[in-house]
Amino acid sequence: MIEVTEKIAIEHGLKKDEYKKICELLKRNPNITELGIFSAMWNEHCSYKSSKKHLKKLNTKGKKVIQGPGENAGVIDIGDEDAIVFKIESHNHPSFIEPYQGAATGVGGILRDVFTMGARPIANLNSIHFGSPANKKTKSLLRGVVQGIGGYGNCIGVPTIAGQTSFDESYNGNILVNAMTLGLVKKDKIFYSKAAGLNKPVIYVGSKTGRDGIHGASMASAKFDDKIEEKKPTVQVGDPFTEKLLLEACLELMKDDSIIAIQDMGAAGLTSSSVEMASKGKLGIELHLDKVPCREENMSPYEIMLSESQERMLIVLEIGKEDKAKKIFDKWNLDFSVIGRTTDSKNIELYFDNNKVANIPINLLAEHAPEYDRKWKKSKLPQRIKFKKKDFNKLKITEVLKKIISSPNICSKEWIWEQYDHTVMGDTIQKPGGDAGVVRVHGSEKAVAATVDSSASYCYAHPLSGGKQIVCEAWRNLICVGAEPIAITNCLNFGNPEKPENMGEFVECVEGLNEASTYLNFPIVSGNVSFYNETKDKGIKPTPTIGGVGLIKNYKNMITMDLKEIGNIIIVLGKTEGHLEQSIFAKEILNEKKGPPPEINLFNEKNNGEIVLKLISDKLIRSVHDVSLGGIITGIAKMCIKGKKGIKLYKFKGLLDKFEYYFSEDQGRYIIEVKKDNLEKVKKILDKNSNHYDLIGEVIADNISINNEPTLSVDKLTEFNKDWLIKYMVN
């Protein structure tokens, strides 16, 4: 038996004072199994010890919120007794160490979070961030992650409907892989993880337990160094075919009243699932670890409790339902074992070969987990940059557009999403590449829209503004397909919280998220925090990712961004102030990375978004796209590419420089296409509602025509947009 010391505790990721506290709470030294359990439950990934103080401030309630944070996923009401279950999670560290399995098991884990609650998954999304394209590892990491996402999602038969990919040198040593899933469930068939009742059988189902993934949760809360390759054994190995069987078996068992509580074995495996179920029910739990199905010989209690082998569930059943449940799991060729029972001890008691090998009060692992009030540094809003006319003198709009449309963060990501099955299940009506993905609710007129968004550059420049912007971007993307925004999930990716500047980025981003979420009535119902995203003391830019979900009451009213008809008028809705700082134009063309992000006016965001929804509902606009990275001209270019049509821009008359007008990234704006016959109706509505707008051009056949500049064919523009990523991955 290993004697536990302070040194061993530190090797498990615990601090000296944390280990001292454990000994004081237990009134003895823990044994090695108990230490492993504490290290898993008290790490950053499971306990949220640095973030919970600030997460409590978030807006989490709303009229359509059925379940907010605290469960496996959030749940919202979409009418007709239907509900959507959804969440986004990170799998950053594993994906950097072993990109295929890291990304694949990230998808598998978020799928389990959703179907654990009784929902059938209907859509996947992802947000993936890589280092500079020039970095020697970027290409292989990108290839492995994309293959892992596709390999798991395609095999299990859930469509991947939307996503986001970006490149930045801050991710050179620590990529981000965030996976999101939506599931559909009837409101009266939602399952929760709270255990209830005494002497209820605790059931292990799914795959056998192996030694893969041990210390995975602790690794997710660790910094990287030169010995990163040594952490490969902590990466879980996924099997999508087994997960498909587990999904169907669980949903079959959920058809009656057999299940009291159910929890997937994700981070920290059997430890977290058993502790969380017992803690929520204020019960104890007794487990006999020699009854756990293992695929490797001589596994110790420590290994069994900390394994993160995939495709496993823990279930508390009603007494007498064991045989019926076993028949279901036998039918699906899955392991089924009664491994314990609920008790009134309020302890987790572990037995192995008839010996008690651990005995810990549940509240020491949950309620007594550390909660830190970390020091944090407030950020300053950077000064504006005065761009001079001479900066633009030699530039041509068409040449600038070609460079921006083919830049790594703007170019088409078709090479990526073509590897994902986005049509399986037959309900996808908006595939990747639009403002948001859309799936029809099978057998109804309803459709659900979803998007993922982040903006590390804005958050790095000013976290408070950046946090607000991401929520607004998700809001706009949902509106652009005709969906009423309902709720969001977040994945908060940051560096080391022990550094005040990093903690400050987190605190202020959360403040920004909350402010925008509250104003827009866009509550945050689930999420995840990923800290310690750094290598060799160099952290990532703050990258909170927002997953937004909205409802289209009749899928036939969905709208898309592709230009529809020659002769239609193009309107920019929302005021253009000419904010170039932190824009793609400033970075790619002027090589300027300083300055503040664009200002967020929440009143304008709400007012402009609501009027766009009205125009869509009244069938007065043919296409719509929000103005985001790259500004007006980049947004129009994407609409041209999608619709295979051109645009003739009217002669520029504004007070701003034309480059400030066309390439600024002022927020709260939309590009809308209007038939000439409806133009006066639209103008009247906008004027009545005090919405600022500019008539800037009209749809033509094949070219982009900008004042006196040479025309640019849409075919050529499409080529510029598509070629960069393909050539990068092939060469």
Side-chain angles (χ1 to χ4, degrees), residues 397-564:
I397 290 176
T398 48
E399 292 302 311
V400 172
L401 177 59
K402 286 193 288 188
K403 188 170 181 179
I404 285 178
I405 207 76
S406 60
S407 63
N409 287 328
I410 297 292
C411 74
S412 169
K413 304 304 187 297
E414 193 170 340
W415 179 88
I416 293 172
W417 55 257
E418 277 187 336
Q419 299 181 55
Y420 307 148
D421 190 337
H422 44 266
T423 59
V424 65
M425 300 178 78
D427 287 315
T428 304
I429 56 176
Q430 170 82 286
K431 66 183 185 181
D435 285 293
V438 184
V439 288
R440 187 174 54 129
V441 175
H442 196 78
S444 79
E445 292 184 338
K446 295 181 297 192
V448 178
T451 180
V452 285
D453 299 280
S454 65
S455 184
S457 293
Y458 290 176
C459 291
Y460 183 65
H462 191 237
L464 179 65
S465 301
K468 288 192 278 189
Q469 189 275 337
I470 313 159
V471 175
C472 294
E473 176 71 16
W475 162 271
R476 290 196 298 270
N477 283 342
L478 295 172
I479 283 171
C480 284
V481 296
E484 175 198 355
I486 295 178
I488 57 184
T489 181
N490 60 36
C491 192
L492 307 178
N493 307 280
F494 290 82
N496 184 350
E498 297 167 49
K499 296 178 179 177
E501 60 272 21
N502 289 349
M503 194 65 205
E505 290 171 344
F506 175 81
V507 172
E508 292 191 288
C509 273
V510 167
E511 192 177 325
L513 296 179
N514 184 57
E515 189 177 333
S517 162
T518 302
Y519 193 93
L520 298 174
N521 192 23
F522 202 23
I524 301 165
V525 300
S526 59
N528 165 241
V529 177
S530 175
F531 277 135
Y532 297 99
N533 289 290
E534 64 174 44
T535 297
K536 298 180 183 177
D537 281 335
K538 189 170 182 179
I540 63 165
K541 287 179 180 175
T543 314
T545 300
I546 293 294
V549 178
L551 177 67
I552 305 173
K553 290 181 179 178
N554 189 327
Y555 70 88
K556 293 177 182 177
N557 294 333
M558 183 189 77
I559 194 165
T560 56
M561 63 188 283
D562 50 298
L563 294 178
K564 302 296 189 302

Side-chain angles (χ1 to χ4, degrees), residues 277-294:
M277 291 170 88
S279 174
K280 288 175 182 176
K282 301 190 182 307
L283 296 171
I285 191 165
E286 176 186 298
L287 300 177
H288 295 263
L289 300 183
D290 42 344
K291 294 182 179 180
V292 172
C294 295

Side-chain angles (χ1 to χ4, degrees), residues 92-303:
N92 304 333
H93 286 47
S95 299
F96 186 74
I97 298 168
E98 215 305 302
Y100 184 94
Q101 288 296 348
T105 52
V107 174
I110 196 64
L111 283 163
R112 287 195 302 280
D113 279 341
V114 167
F115 74 75
T116 298
M117 298 192 71
R120 179 172 291 279
I122 58 171
N124 288 332
L125 300 89
N126 57 76
S127 176
I128 51 180
H129 301 261
F130 300 91
S132 163
N135 184 273
K136 63 182 182 180
K137 281 191 172 184
T138 295
K139 194 181 295 185
S140 63
L141 288 168
L142 173 58
R143 182 174 283 110
V145 166
V146 170
Q147 288 175 347
I149 291 170
Y152 206 102
N154 295 353
C155 289
I156 202 168
V158 178
T160 299
I161 63 167
Q164 175 198 27
T165 305
S166 78
F167 300 89
D168 187 275
E169 63 183 9
S170 78
Y171 308 116
N172 281 352
N174 205 123
I175 66 173
L176 302 182
V177 176
N178 297 173
M180 177 177 171
T181 293
L182 284 72
L184 179 67
V185 67
K186 290 295 181 183
K187 287 196 295 185
D188 62 349
K189 281 293 185 181
I190 301 168
F191 287 81
Y192 298 96
S193 57
K194 178 182 175 181
L198 297 178
N199 294 312
K200 305 292 185 181
V202 177
I203 315 296
Y204 173 115
V205 299
S207 290
K208 287 181 168 61
T209 294
R211 290 187 170 93
D212 55 313
I214 293 174
H215 296 305
S218 300
M219 181 270 293
S221 303
K223 297 175 284 186
F224 284 165
D225 53 30
D226 292 327
K227 298 180 179 179
I228 185 175
E229 295 299 318
E230 295 176 8
K231 298 183 184 289
K232 276 195 176 183
T234 64
V235 179
Q236 311 91 330
V237 178
D239 180 355
F241 299 105
T242 299
E243 178 123 330
K244 174 65 173 172
L245 300 178
L246 183 61
L247 161 67
E248 298 299 341
C250 287
L251 292 182
E252 184 174 340
L253 182 60
M254 288 168 171
K255 288 178 180 177
D256 65 16
D257 57 355
S258 298
I259 296 175
I260 296 171
I262 181 167
Q263 178 77 37
D264 82 297
M265 295 190 215
L270 186 54
T271 290
S272 63
S273 56
S274 57
V275 170
E276 287 174 15
M277 291 170 88
S279 174
K280 288 175 182 176
K282 301 190 182 307
L283 296 171
I285 191 165
E286 176 186 298
L287 300 177
H288 295 263
L289 300 183
D290 42 344
K291 294 182 179 180
V292 172
C294 295
R295 65 170 182 265
E296 298 184 50
E297 293 182 358
N298 301 317
M299 287 190 69
S300 68
Y302 174 95
E303 292 172 321

